[in-house]
Amino acid sequence: MPPERTIFLIDGQSFYASCEKAAHPEYRNRPVAVGDPSRPSGIVLAACPIAKARGVTTAERNFTALAKCPELVIIRPRMQRYIEISLMITKIFESYTELVEPFSIDEQFLDVTGSLGRYKSAEELAKQIQEEVLLSTGVWSRVGIGPSKIMAKTATDNFAKKNDTGVFRLDYNNIEETLWPLPVHQMFMVASKMATHFAIMGLPTIGDIARTPLPEFKRRMRLRMGKQSDIQAEYYWQTARGIDPSPVTPSIRNELKSVSHGKTLRASLYFRRPDIELVLQELVIEVCRRARRLGKQGRVVSVGAGETDGERAYRFGRQMTLPHATNLTHEVFASSLRLFREYWHGLPVAYLHLSLTQLSDDNVTQLTLFDDRARIHDLEAATDMIKERYGSAAIMRASSLQEAGVARERAGQIGGHYK
Ligand SMILES: [Mg+2]
C-alpha cells in the first residue's frame, strides 16, 4: 500500500466575476456578471454570488439576467487578465507545495502530503491558503480535501462549494454517509445520458455502484452497454469508491530544479498553429541553450499554455518523460510539439511556457544508435558561443524571420523589458 496522500482541489468561486469585483471596488456590494454588455442576447459567462442570489445563472442570456435583476452590472470579459490571476494563484500554491497541477483556469490540484507537518490539520492549511488567495486576488477559494485526486475533486464539487467554510474533507471514513447517498448524476464525469443508463440498471445512487462487486457491475454494464464497456465500468466503479492512483503532476514551473522559459503573447495575434508552434520553437531553443550553458540536461519536458477566444479560456500544463536526458533542441522540440498538439484546445494563445526538469549533468552524452548525438551537441554548443559573443540575434533559425517570430524581439529585451 502506498502511503496515504493528502490532496486539495482548490476552486475559485465565480472566478471571472471575482476577478472583476476585485478590480472594481465600487461594485463591491452590487450584483456583477461578466459578459458582453453590448449584446442583449450575449451570454453570462460568470456571475458573482450577489447576482446568483438574485437568480442570475451562468450561460443564460444577458436580457434574461437583466429581467430578473435590473441593477445587474455586466462587465466585458478580460480573459488574458484571468489567465494572469490564475498563474498568480498557482504561485501562491507553489509557496506551500511543489506539487501543483492546473486542472482548469479556476481549479488546481495540490499534493500537500509533505507540507502538513507545519500545520495542526489539513483544514487549517486550507484556511490559510483561502485567506492568502483572497487577500492577494479577491477570489474566494473552495478547498476539497481527499486521499486521491478524484476524492478531492468530489469533495469540492459536492460539498465545499455548498457549505459556509468552503472547506470539506472526504475520506474513506465518511464516504459512505456523505457521498454514497447522492444520486448518480452527481458523480464526477457522469452526464445525464449515463445517469439514465444507471437508473435503468437499478443503480440510482453513487453508493449503489460502489457496493456492487466489480465483476457483477461489469456484467451488468456489458448487458446494458455492450462488450466494450469493461474499462468504463472499472472507471465508474473506482470513481464511486474514490480510488484514483494518479499523481498530482507539478505544473509548468519549478524554478530551482528546472530550466524554463515563457512568453506572454497577444492572443489576438496568435491563433494560427504554425505561428504558435514557432513561439514554442523559440522557447525550446532558449531553454536548451540555457541548459547547455549550465551544463545540464533534463529528462522531463513540460509545456504550459493559456488560451482564450475572449469568451472561453483554458490553461494546461502537461509533461512527458523522455527515454534519456537531453538538452538537444530537436529532441526537446519534438516532444514539446507532441504535448502541445495533444492538449491545445485550439483557441488563441495568451501565454506559452516550456521547461526541462529532472536535470542531470550533461558531461556524459548518451549515444543512440540512430544519430550522432555528441556531434549535434558540439554543433549546438558552437552556436551558443557565437550567440554569446554577438548576441542572440546573430544566429536565428530562418523561420524566426517570419513575422510571428519573437526571438528577434526578445533579443532586444532584457528580462522581458526593452533595453
Ligand atoms: Mg469555479
Side-chain angles (χ1 to χ4, degrees), residues 49 69 90 141 187 283 324:
C69 179
T90 306
S141 309
M187 191 164 102
L283 295 178
H324 52 72

Side-chain angles (χ1 to χ4, degrees), residues 385-400:
M385 234 175 60
I386 299 173
K387 276 188 190 169
E388 234 114 279
R389 202 167 295 170
Y390 303 105
S392 293
I395 295 185
M396 268 191 286
R397 306 227 151 179
S399 55
S400 297

Side-chain angles (χ1 to χ4, degrees), residues 102-131:
F103 182 65
S104 70
I105 192 162
D106 66 340
E107 291 174 295
Q108 313 194 32
F109 285 108
L110 284 70
D111 185 330
V112 297
T113 314
S115 325
L116 285 177
R118 283 171 277 143
Y119 301 89
K120 274 206 300 256
S121 63
E123 284 84 350
E124 193 197 63
L125 171 58
K127 252 194 206 159
Q128 183 168 329
I129 293 178
Q130 275 181 321
E131 277 164 28

